[in-house]
Amino acid sequence: MMEAILVLNAGSSSIKFSLFSGTQRPELNAVICEGECSGIGDVLQARIKDAAGRRLVNEPVGGAPNHEHALSWLLDWLTRKFPDHSLLAAGHRIVHGGSRYSAPVRIDAGVIAELKRLVPLAPLHQPRHLADIAALSKLYPDLPQIGCFDTAFHHDQPFVARQFALPRQFTEEGVLRYGFHGLSYEYIASVLPEIAGADIARGRVVVAHLGAGASMCALKDGRSVATTMSFTALDGLMMSRRCGAIDPGVVLYLLQEKGMTDGEVSDMLYQASGLLGVSGISDDMKTLLASDQSHACEAIDLFVYRICIELGALAAALGGLDALVFTAGIGEHAPEIRRRVCEQASWLGLQIDPEANAKGGPRISTSDGRTSAWVIPTNEELMIARHCWRLLHDAREEKT
């Protein structure tokens, strides 16, 4: 019987998953299959492909459209499809780990209680993680579940980079800049030496994780020094539906002068702002780039502007810049956005190579620029599988 690790990433209406071989430390070629169960709350639909990208499943799933039934169907399908594999553990991407979790942990009642306490800091994500954990515990109570936190990679940042200028009591209570997308940045840091060279990987690097959720991180010697998201995943860059950095006085104005409730303000900042709010057309960058409407252009301009502003700030935190890395959905698939960012940041020594950029890299800058630019696909699922394998491997060694 071969061992396998199931990686789960819960969304509001879907459960994305990857199944990795767990016999050895997972690598890129360790994926057995991957896919998602979408339509939670409506009509469940399963889409699964194998490691070569061949479609295995694309069909509706009968039954209750909830997390528990979606996981039940998925685990039953995996058992039938891969009878020679035995699950070692399920690894969860968990957005917020607060100040307590600086590394992956095996999930128990105490961990669940802490994750519930952090729900207000990640209202789009944390409830979904908890729903998957609860459903899986009910279906497979003996299966180890491991939480891997998006905040953990930033945990060792200099304290000055984590502070707000608030009364000290709030800092001591944990009102800090936590940062997110840490699993993505950790993966990029792990492959950067092989792709860009050890000298660049040890140097001053900014990684731009540009997707529906977007943030940037300054790396020095592969470690997080500063990042754009902070206490919640609202801060920093403009995103598909989230506003990014905003004057706190705007929130006070909306509450005090416009009479909005805190729920209405929260919904606006998380769901109705960003690319969607500014354009009034779409939250999808591909759609906006194809549009000739002025508001679509304004949304794109603002998106690029905010990236360049944050890039300058992160370069200042690093004391210079040796490389810029683009990753995630927009970063990997929107050469126009990469071009605009690099051209507006030419003062940092970035000189884009149009042909290399059109091809998607990995290097998209000219050889004579003092700062290099790269496109590196991220792989948060692989990082989670590796963390699970290491945690289980260490536990086995302790027993022997």
Side-chain angles (χ1 to χ4, degrees), residues 10 14 18 24 89 112 136 148 151 167 200 212 225 257 276-277 279 301 305 314 328 334 336 352 368 371 388 391 393:
S14 68
S18 298
Q24 297 178 328
I112 290 171
L136 199 53
C148 300
T151 48
I200 287 177
V225 173
E257 301 300 326
L276 176 64
S279 72
D301 288 346
Y305 176 79
L314 293 174
E336 175 64 10
I352 197 163
D368 54 347
T371 303
C388 291
L391 205 63
H393 182 75

Side-chain angles (χ1 to χ4, degrees), residues 29-142:
N29 59 1
V31 177
I32 299 169
C33 67
E34 58 189 3
E36 69 175 337
C37 288
S38 60
I40 292 174
D42 187 14
V43 178
L44 287 180
Q45 177 83 16
R47 298 178 180 86
I48 305 173
K49 60 183 180 181
D50 65 14
R54 293 184 292 262
R55 187 173 66 189
L56 300 176
V57 176
N58 186 7
E59 62 187 47
V61 177
N66 55 37
H67 283 259
E68 183 177 338
H69 183 67
L71 279 172
S72 177
W73 181 91
L74 173 60
L75 290 164
D76 180 66
W77 183 87
L78 290 172
T79 300
R80 289 185 285 105
K81 182 66 177 179
F82 305 103
D84 55 343
H85 284 74
S86 174
L87 279 184
L88 279 175
H92 298 267
R93 175 194 173 223
I94 298 177
V95 166
H96 215 307
S99 57
R100 181 171 298 182
Y101 301 117
S102 59
V105 297
R106 183 160 174 173
I107 296 171
D108 58 18
V111 174
I112 290 171
E114 179 67 8
L115 298 184
K116 288 180 178 178
R117 189 183 70 81
L118 294 168
V119 165
L121 307 189
L124 295 185
H125 304 90
Q126 212 84 341
R128 319 305 178 193
H129 308 323
L130 288 163
D132 267 10
I133 292 167
L136 199 53
S137 296
K138 184 177 179 180
L139 293 165
Y140 290 81
D142 296 327

Side-chain angles (χ1 to χ4, degrees), residues 304 307-308 324 326 337-345:
V304 172
I307 292 170
C308 292
L324 172 63
F326 293 94
I337 298 301
R338 299 194 298 260
R339 179 190 69 79
R340 293 191 190 191
V341 169
C342 289
E343 288 183 353
Q344 291 187 32

Side-chain angles (χ1 to χ4, degrees), residues 245-258 265 269:
I246 188 171
D247 180 349
V250 173
V251 177
L252 295 176
Y253 171 78
L254 296 175
L255 292 169
Q256 297 170 356
E257 301 300 326
K258 301 299 289 185
V265 172
L269 299 180

Side-chain angles (χ1 to χ4, degrees), residues 230-259:
S230 59
F231 185 58
T232 71
L234 269 179
D235 202 6
L237 299 180
M238 171 186 181
M239 302 172 230
S240 64
R241 289 173 174 254
R242 283 172 263 171
C243 60
I246 188 171
D247 180 349
V250 173
V251 177
L252 295 176
Y253 171 78
L254 296 175
L255 292 169
Q256 297 170 356
E257 301 300 326
K258 301 299 289 185

